[in-house]
Amino acid sequence: MKEINKYINKNKDRFINELINLLKIPSISADSNYSKDVLSCAEHVSKSLIKAGAENVEIIPTDGFPVVYGEKIFDENLPTVLVYGHYDVQPADPLELWESGPFDPIIKKTKIHPDGAIFARGACDDKGQFFSHVKAFETMINTNNLTCNVKFMIEGEEEVGSINLSKFVKENKQKLSCDTILISDTGIISNNNPSITTGLKGLSYLEVEVTGPNRDLHSGLYGGAVGNPINILCEMISKLKDKNNKITIPGFYDNVQELSECERKDMGRAPFNIDKYKEALELSDIHGEKGYTTIERTGIRPTLDVNGIWGGYIGEGAKTVIPSKAFAKISMRLVPNQRDNEITEKFTDFFKSIAPKSVSVKVSPHHGGEPYVCPTDIPSYLAASKAMEITYNKKPIPVRSGGSIPIVALFEKELRVKSILLGFGLDSDAIHSPNEHYGIFNYLKGIETIPYFFSNYSKLFNKKI
Ligand code: BES
Ligand code: MN
Ligand code: MN
């Protein structure tokens, strides 16, 4: 594998520049003002796949943004790896908090990234990470080290819930057939502590609307005599958790899989420093469900959060008004074996039941997804673990993440194939936040590690048959 490192070293400046060009395209899937850019990003990705050596490259339309597909199938006896990623990104706002333009990538050194990091929306989530597969693929082809068949499926709607992907996967089972799925869209504990994500949370995301009087009212003439939808919405939200921060929705925890003491002890061995955690977020204290550690709260416990809340007057100055309506966007992150549609239903019933008669309540589900767990004894996990052990000089720790990638559970259901979440980002890379960035070290480490996954996997796969 020496040639691989040589090739990466020789081409690293070009690899970085190519990623920078990809990051210049504002492929924001949530905002229809950027639809053209999302489509041109798909074009760009398909060209980069062709340039890297992929065949049968297609931009496949869906009911939303297209999927970019490409493959290199050269020996039917070899295992096939499906690489999944997403070329869409989150909206960049609040723009004023960015130190440089979200779509004008620049390289800056930071404390955590002394070799420099690329600052741009999508740098880590997920353009930098999926593009490391394109460059690793190019490297394997040009050094004659490709030991598996490869299929690429890079989608454009992950950040809006991959709502059209279930139909796409169901209709393209043959095209997507594979022995394992490899995804770089998660992170590691730190650059000195590699880890592999073995769990993703499910999601139930909904919007609530609370309506009081039929119009906005003068808050002096009517105040105190009419239910204020914002006050009432806040009261209702506060009823969703008790004083121990347990979620109060009846039946919410019914199917939650409890971990054994032994498994919890194992989780507790992962390096984690609560003081550094607080310092990084400038917090005096942490907060969460009683009886669980921070790692358990994010990794194995279901959660409920208000993502946005609005209503009434929020313009300049003051306006004395009782609003007619109040709104909130609420998400629940789910763990095995909670089902998103059941949780959505339980939330809806409970939320309506706690509304006073003075208001009416509407609950509209947005999108959902099922949780995912990856075993640590399957060939593909072992191949990933060994690959990281070689390139980081340290065995990676399995970690359950609080994040969600709904397609992963769907792949398992429809294709009956497990996904390996071999991510290289850091929690401090500010994904979804202003000043998102991706370390040059992380980007190149990804390109270096991926070929080892392929060679390890083909060896382990041969043993299997
Ligand atoms: N790549 C993230 C998910 C992620 C990040 C998982 C870090 C684990 C570690 C993905 O792009 C994402 O943001 N997913 C959304 C869900 C989606 C339905 C909008 C999320 O987790 O909020
Ligand atoms: Mn992502
Ligand atoms: Mn994301």
Side-chain angles (χ1 to χ4, degrees):
M1 305 286 274
K2 238 188 181 163
E3 328 80 80
I4 293 224
N5 283 312
K6 239 179 161 175
Y7 188 91
I8 295 172
N9 246 324
K10 218 173 98 192
N11 291 284
K12 67 177 181 215
D13 290 343
R14 176 172 59 82
F15 287 176
I16 292 165
N17 282 328
E18 286 180 12
L19 174 57
I20 285 177
N21 286 334
L22 175 64
L23 289 169
K24 286 181 185 165
I25 309 169
S27 50
I28 305 170
S29 50
D31 186 341
S32 57
N33 289 317
Y34 292 90
S35 296
K36 267 198 179 141
D37 300 288
V38 183
L39 294 173
S40 81
C41 193
E43 282 291 336
H44 188 103
V45 172
S46 80
K47 282 183 192 144
S48 73
L49 279 174
I50 295 169
K51 227 181 96 195
E55 291 161 2
N56 301 321
V57 176
E58 289 175 78
I59 297 177
I60 309 175
T62 69
D63 291 337
F65 291 117
V67 169
V68 184
Y69 177 86
E71 61 182 26
K72 181 81 186 174
I73 310 284
F74 58 93
D75 184 344
E76 288 197 347
N77 295 313
L78 288 175
T80 300
V81 178
L82 174 67
V83 174
Y84 162 88
H86 61 94
Y87 65 82
D88 66 319
V89 301
Q90 285 275 322
D93 55 271
L95 277 177
E96 65 278 11
L97 295 182
W98 283 79
E99 284 169 22
S100 54
F103 300 103
D104 299 317
I106 59 158
I107 297 177
K108 274 196 299 190
K109 289 188 174 152
T110 71
K111 222 163 108 187
I112 291 175
H113 296 293
D115 297 339
I118 309 177
F119 282 74
R121 170 58 83 230
C124 174
D125 184 11
D126 176 42
K127 286 176 173 170
Q129 297 214 58
F130 92 70
F131 202 64
S132 61
H133 283 270
V134 180
K135 294 299 101 181
F137 173 69
E138 176 199 313
T139 304
M140 288 187 280
I141 289 205
N142 289 345
T143 59
N144 266 321
N145 271 299
L146 189 60
T147 53
C148 301
N149 299 310
V150 191
K151 294 178 175 179
F152 285 94
M153 172 188 168
I154 314 295
E155 70 143 317
E157 293 191 303
E158 197 279 341
E159 297 293 9
V160 286
S162 304
I163 21 178
N164 297 298
L165 222 55
S166 122
K167 187 168 162 226
F168 176 85
V169 173
K170 282 182 188 144
E171 285 173 358
N172 289 281
K173 283 190 185 171
Q174 194 51 42
K175 185 174 234 136
L176 302 174
S177 71
C178 58
D179 299 291
T180 190
I181 300 166
L182 186 61
I183 303 176
S184 297
D185 192 22
T186 53
I188 48 175
I189 295 171
S190 73
N191 284 349
N192 299 320
N193 292 295
S195 55
I196 297 176
T197 302
T198 51
L200 290 168
K201 284 197 176 155
L203 188 66
S204 161
Y205 198 114
L206 27 86
E207 190 166 318
V208 299
E209 180 183 321
V210 175
T211 307
N214 60 0
R215 58 188 163 89
D216 289 2
L217 302 174
H218 187 288
S219 64
L221 294 182
Y222 290 95
V226 167
N228 179 325
I230 299 183
N231 292 26
I232 289 170
L233 174 58
C234 291
E235 281 165 29
M236 290 168 70
I237 287 170
S238 73
K239 287 192 180 133
L240 296 172
K241 289 190 196 178
D242 68 14
K243 62 177 191 315
N244 293 325
N245 285 310
K246 293 233 178 267
I247 294 156
T248 51
I249 299 166
F252 184 83
Y253 292 100
D254 274 2
N255 299 321
V256 170
Q257 202 177 68
E258 300 285 343
L259 262 65
S260 68
E261 279 309 312
C262 184
E263 284 170 298
R264 287 178 69 182
K265 234 187 201 154
D266 265 354
M267 278 188 85
R269 276 199 262 277
F272 178 75
N273 182 318
I274 194 76
D275 293 321
K276 280 204 179 130
Y277 185 81
K278 285 195 279 191
E279 194 187 310
L281 301 173
E282 295 181 46
L283 288 171
S284 320
D285 204 359
I286 49 156
H287 180 99
E289 187 184 353
K290 198 174 168 185
Y292 294 92
T293 64
T294 300
I295 292 183
E296 289 171 345
R297 286 169 181 167
T298 59
I300 57 163
R301 298 299 295 168
T303 57
L304 182 153
D305 279 287
V306 178
N307 296 257
I309 182 162
W310 70 101
Y313 183 70
I314 51 166
E316 200 183 328
K319 182 184 177 197
T320 46
V321 68
I322 294 174
S324 164
K325 284 176 188 293
F327 305 84
K329 289 183 195 280
I330 298 177
S331 69
M332 288 164 284
R333 299 274 175 172
L334 314 176
V335 300
N337 298 311
Q338 290 178 299
R339 304 291 304 245
D340 66 340
N341 51 0
E342 283 173 21
I343 293 294
T344 302
E345 207 180 298
K346 283 177 177 160
F347 175 93
T348 309
D349 291 347
F350 183 60
F351 205 67
K352 286 188 171 162
S353 79
I354 56 174
K357 276 210 184 95
S358 55
V359 294
S360 63
V361 172
K362 203 169 118 193
V363 180
S364 326
H366 270 284
H367 52 73
E370 305 290 346
Y372 173 74
V373 175
C374 179
T376 53
D377 58 358
I378 54 175
S380 47
Y381 181 89
L382 297 172
S385 177
K386 262 181 93 182
M388 273 195 158
E389 196 173 341
I390 295 166
T391 56
Y392 286 83
N393 274 317
K394 211 176 199 179
K395 195 175 167 181
I397 304 171
V399 169
R400 295 221 198 171
S401 170
S404 309
I405 309 176
I407 186 70
V408 175
L410 198 96
F411 278 147
E412 183 170 14
K413 188 170 155 222
E414 298 297 333
L415 305 177
R416 309 222 154 267
V417 179
K418 283 279 183 189
S419 294
I420 299 301
L421 300 154
L422 183 64
F424 299 94
L426 300 180
D427 283 355
S428 56
D429 286 345
I431 64 171
H432 294 204
S433 305
N435 305 308
E436 176 178 354
H437 54 280
Y438 193 38
I440 303 279
F441 170 88
N442 302 64
Y443 177 52
L444 297 175
K445 199 52 118 183
I447 302 175
E448 186 194 342
T449 306
I450 291 160
Y452 283 105
F453 172 86
F454 279 78
S455 71
N456 295 342
Y457 185 62
S458 63
K459 281 180 212 150
L460 288 165
F461 188 84
N462 278 341
K463 266 191 211 156
K464 206 179 79 179
I465 35 179

